[in-house]
């Protein structure tokens, strides 16, 4: 189980923005949900940088920071 699972789960529940490093880039994601996929736990959400809905593997997330509720 990924170490960040609890933090990301809290962000989904409180609708707090999630900031993290992923594939060498900083990401800012407004979470839609959290689920288990074939590759493990994934975060689904709207990524500000691309302006698209995306899915991110929790195991590949680094430097995870959770924003205040309703951000």
């Amino acid at each position: 189980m990924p170490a960040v699972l609890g933090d990301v789960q809290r962000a989904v529940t409180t609708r707090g923005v999630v900031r993290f490093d992923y594939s060498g880039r900083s990401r800012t994601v407004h979470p839609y949900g959290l689920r288990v996929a074939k590759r493990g736990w994934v975060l689904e959400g709207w990524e500000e940088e691309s302006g698209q809905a995306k899915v991110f593997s929790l195991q590949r997330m680094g430097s995870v920071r959770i924003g205040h509720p309703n951000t």
Side-chain angles (χ1 to χ4, degrees):
M1 195 174 320
V4 299
L5 179 60
D7 289 337
V8 174
Q9 187 173 35
R10 182 170 37 87
V12 171
T13 302
T14 64
R15 296 184 343 198
V17 70
V18 183
R19 292 181 176 85
F20 54 94
D21 296 331
Y22 196 90
S23 296
R25 294 183 10 213
S26 294
R27 314 288 180 128
T28 304
V29 175
H30 299 269
Y32 295 154
L34 187 61
R35 64 179 171 88
V36 177
K38 288 182 181 180
R39 60 185 174 198
W41 285 96
V42 295
L43 171 67
E44 300 172 314
W46 183 262
E47 181 191 40
E48 286 186 5
E49 292 76 14
S50 68
Q52 298 178 14
K54 291 191 173 183
V55 177
F56 299 93
S57 171
L58 267 61
Q59 293 180 345
R60 296 180 56 202
M61 297 167 104
S63 302
V64 177
R65 298 162 316 279
I66 306 302
H68 295 289
N70 299 312
T71 56

